[in-house]
Amino acid sequence: MRAEGQAHIERIQKAMALVRKFLDWDRAVRRLDELNARVEDPTLWDKPKEAEAVMKERRRLEASIGAVSQIEAEMADAIEFIELGEMEDDAATIDEGHATLKALAERADRDKVHALLAGEADGNDTYLEVHAGAGGTESQDWAEMLQRMYTRWAERKGYKVELVDYHAGEAAGIKSATLLIKGDNAYGYAKTESGVHRLVRISPYDSSARRHTSFSSVWVYPVIDDTFEIEINPADLKIDTYRASGAGGQHVNTTDSAVRITHQPSGIVVASQIDRSQHKNREIAMGMLKARMFEAEMQKREEAASAEHASKSDIGWGHQIRSYVLQPYQQVKDLRTGLVSTAPGDVLDGELDAFMAAALSQRVTGEKVEVEDVD
């Protein structure tokens, strides 16, 4: 078999092994049998909420187990097809077999990521906050570049994006912004982006054209609904109102309709200025607060949530999860997984799926990678 075919096989096997490990394969198969038996029980729907949870888990396991079984079976068929072509010295058959393996490898990578999105809130919409670090205009401009990057990523996936909160920089860029990203598995994909992001470039604000390093942080947490029970004591809240500020070209409120809520015991602060109604903004901000508190509780239960913990650190050197170097060479390097792109323009235009997939995989394998930052 040609080297390219063997590479496709190894890629498929690696992806399927990761899914098997994530699912705990034998346990997952037994669990699917149990769920299939429960679905046959006519009394299941006497408790609709419980029945919906059973059906949801069954669909997820059925899809993941079925995908692995099908891909592995089709890979075996393709290998047999290539071997037959080699025995008969049939180049067309061999080429067709290799094309099948290539397509299976691409499908295996997609299905792998989808299977890994099985967390309690992975299927939900998500909030994504960007905050500029120290450094004034430089960091604020970088924060706005990140806001655009995630907006473009969401649009590429067909998600809907709303700007919930926005605070402009003094001269350029933003001090902070909060996006609401709506779409299937929005939180599951974006959750690995929490952390500090570092930019190295020739500053457009430096008349001497010197290189500058800027830092901004990203914080991701899921939108939750009434099925997630989060209790908040009203006495613990400090609620402020202020005049909304819009990004360029947007309609700007002229009344104090924006709402900021501080949960004093935890120090969590959320804000909304998306609506002209102060009452509606307060409702949105309360939803954001519940989501942040839910996400904080999930962190305590997830040992692999290093990216989220990093975002609570100082927004500066030594805490970054990814570096984007535009000068003197072009490179984006993820400092958790070691994944590198030599096309930072594409990454900044929203091509983030490969970085997200690598980070999701690392959460399953627990593999630590020694990565040197780029200068």
Side-chain angles (χ1 to χ4, degrees):
M1 182 178 295
R2 297 200 297 254
E4 62 178 289
Q6 191 59 46
H8 294 323
I9 292 170
E10 291 173 2
R11 182 175 160 193
I12 295 167
Q13 290 174 334
K14 185 176 180 180
M16 295 301 95
L18 184 68
V19 175
R20 282 174 172 271
K21 179 176 181 178
F22 177 73
L23 291 175
D24 188 356
W25 185 262
D26 291 339
R27 184 206 62 80
V29 171
R30 290 195 301 271
R31 178 60 177 164
L32 182 58
D33 289 340
E34 293 171 5
L35 293 171
N36 285 334
R38 290 193 66 184
V39 168
E40 297 297 323
D41 184 351
T43 65
L44 174 64
W45 289 97
D46 292 346
K47 298 178 180 179
K49 192 172 181 180
E50 181 180 325
E52 288 175 8
V54 168
M55 296 300 293
K56 181 179 179 181
E57 184 182 1
R58 176 175 175 260
R59 284 193 299 269
R60 180 182 68 81
L61 283 176
E62 198 169 48
S64 298
I65 291 172
V68 171
S69 300
Q70 185 178 14
I71 287 173
E72 290 179 340
E74 290 183 16
M75 180 182 70
D77 289 343
I79 293 171
E80 187 176 342
F81 199 63
I82 292 171
E83 290 173 346
L84 180 63
E86 290 173 341
M87 288 173 58
E88 298 180 356
D89 198 22
D90 184 343
T93 298
I94 294 171
D95 289 343
E96 185 178 346
H98 280 91
T100 300
L101 286 177
K102 181 181 178 182
L104 279 174
E106 292 170 353
R107 178 183 164 192
D109 283 339
R110 291 194 302 270
D111 286 356
K112 172 192 72 176
V113 174
H114 190 75
L116 298 181
L117 300 177
E120 191 172 359
D122 281 357
N124 293 21
D125 300 337
T126 191
Y127 294 108
L128 187 149
E129 296 180 11
V130 180
H131 296 271
T137 301
E138 287 292 336
S139 292
Q140 290 167 12
D141 187 50
W142 173 223
E144 187 169 48
M145 290 169 67
L146 286 173
Q147 177 196 341
R148 178 189 178 278
M149 180 179 78
Y150 288 111
T151 299
R152 289 288 296 120
W153 166 77
E155 290 171 348
R156 282 170 177 264
K157 297 192 79 66
Y159 293 161
K160 181 179 178 183
V161 184
E162 296 177 7
L163 187 62
V164 176
D165 193 38
Y166 180 93
H167 298 276
E170 285 91 354
I174 59 172
K175 294 178 180 177
S176 66
T178 301
L179 303 176
L180 170 57
I181 302 174
K182 297 180 177 180
D184 290 341
N185 294 316
Y187 173 68
Y189 283 112
K191 66 183 180 182
T192 60
E193 292 297 295
S194 286
V196 176
H197 296 246
R198 169 180 172 252
L199 173 70
V200 180
R201 64 171 176 173
I202 300 295
S203 170
Y205 305 102
D206 187 335
S207 58
S208 301
R210 292 171 295 187
R211 279 206 312 162
H212 283 250
T213 297
S214 307
F215 298 91
S216 290
S217 70
V218 173
W219 180 253
V220 181
Y221 51 100
V223 176
I224 61 173
D225 55 29
D226 293 339
T227 61
F228 298 88
E229 296 182 4
I230 305 294
E231 293 185 6
I232 298 177
N233 184 351
D236 291 337
L237 303 181
K238 179 176 181 291
I239 301 176
D240 301 302
T241 59
Y242 58 96
R243 185 160 296 178
S245 61
Q250 295 188 17
H251 296 292
V252 180
N253 293 338
T254 56
T255 60
D256 291 346
S257 60
V259 175
R260 180 186 300 110
I261 300 178
T262 304
H263 184 252
Q264 297 180 107
S266 65
I268 293 174
V269 180
V270 294
S272 172
Q273 55 177 290
I274 193 173
D275 202 274
R276 290 182 177 272
S277 162
Q278 185 182 113
H279 176 76
K280 182 63 175 177
N281 281 327
R282 178 170 176 156
E283 181 182 327
I284 293 169
M286 280 299 297
M288 294 169 68
L289 177 59
K290 289 180 178 179
R292 282 284 298 271
M293 294 183 72
F294 171 78
E295 196 271 348
E297 180 60 30
M298 284 201 303
Q299 279 188 20
K300 297 175 184 177
R301 302 197 305 252
E302 293 182 15
E303 295 179 355
S306 57
E308 284 82 353
H309 289 298
S311 69
K312 288 188 174 181
S313 303
D314 295 335
I315 308 177
W317 188 269
H319 300 288
Q320 59 268 26
I321 64 168
R322 191 176 301 144
S323 286
Y324 306 70
V325 178
L326 306 185
Q327 292 286 345
Y329 53 89
Q330 302 270 304
Q331 185 179 103
V332 178
K333 177 182 279 190
D334 193 288
L335 305 178
R336 301 161 299 175
T337 64
L339 186 65
V340 171
S341 169
T342 55
D346 293 341
V347 175
L348 291 172
D349 197 41
E351 286 194 7
L352 294 169
D353 283 351
F355 289 100
M356 294 176 177
L360 284 168
S361 298
Q362 188 183 56
R363 288 185 171 210
V364 177
T365 64
E367 180 182 359
K368 299 298 182 183
V369 181
E370 294 294 330
V371 183
E372 289 188 8
D373 202 354
V374 288
D375 189 8

